Amino acid sequence: MTTTNTDTIAIDQFVDAPPSKVWRTLTEPELHARWWVPGDIAATVGHRFHLQMPGWGSVPCEVLEVVPEQKLVYTFNETWTLTWRLAAEGRGTRLFFEHSGFDFEQKSERDAFNRMGPGWRNKVLPQLVQTASQLTD
């Protein structure tokens, strides 16, 4: 797992599950709630949904790009963009995650970047890995 220190949080994570299971984990609301937060996500371009973030409340999102089992991109809080790219690797999946759109001119954005990098890396993505790895067909 690697992280880049720019205005984008970038994480490269191996998941011991095929892309189909990782995709389901990212795009099915019930599974999404297991590894991150509840929300009415759907893998449909233009779909507007909300994620129920502790401490933030209902965060608006919109799906920008969908390539089934390969790429999912959506806005988060109308400012940030979350990009999930999946690539088959052996019997698993290489997951490339990017959280972009931080405005380092604003202290609150720098603070968010500094908090969220470790949060994604040490908590959220490991939960995604665990959820995808435990799925049965």
Side-chain angles (χ1 to χ4, degrees):
M1 194 180 323
T2 57
T3 306
T4 306
N5 189 16
T6 64
D7 66 348
T8 298
I9 297 166
I11 301 172
D12 171 342
Q13 173 71 56
F14 180 77
V15 183
D16 190 17
S20 61
K21 289 184 180 182
V22 178
W23 184 255
R24 287 181 52 212
T25 304
L26 289 170
T27 61
E28 292 181 13
E30 177 188 310
L31 295 175
H32 194 278
R34 285 189 207 172
W35 64 269
W36 190 17
V37 293
D40 52 336
I41 191 167
T44 304
V45 173
H47 175 67
R48 294 176 186 268
F49 64 101
H50 290 83
L51 295 177
Q52 303 304 318
M53 302 298 297
W56 289 35
S58 182
V59 176
C61 304
E62 182 179 355
V63 177
L64 302 176
E65 186 177 350
V66 174
V67 180
E69 298 186 11
Q70 294 178 29
K71 189 174 186 182
L72 176 66
V73 181
Y74 54 88
T75 61
F76 180 85
N77 83 353
E78 300 172 344
T79 304
W80 297 330
T81 301
L82 303 183
T83 301
W84 307 88
R85 290 186 304 112
L86 289 66
E89 183 176 304
R91 62 186 181 90
T93 303
R94 180 62 58 182
L95 175 64
F96 300 97
F97 168 76
E98 291 185 354
H99 181 165
S100 61
F102 292 93
D103 178 0
F104 279 8
E105 297 299 314
Q106 297 181 37
K107 182 182 181 321
S108 61
E109 294 271 318
R110 287 192 311 273
D111 292 346
F113 177 86
N114 290 329
R115 280 190 322 273
M116 290 179 177
W120 282 116
R121 185 174 48 258
N122 301 327
K123 182 176 184 208
V124 180
L125 286 181
Q127 291 173 170
L128 181 152
V129 168
Q130 181 179 14
T131 301
S133 299
Q134 293 176 343
L135 285 181
T136 57
D137 292 328

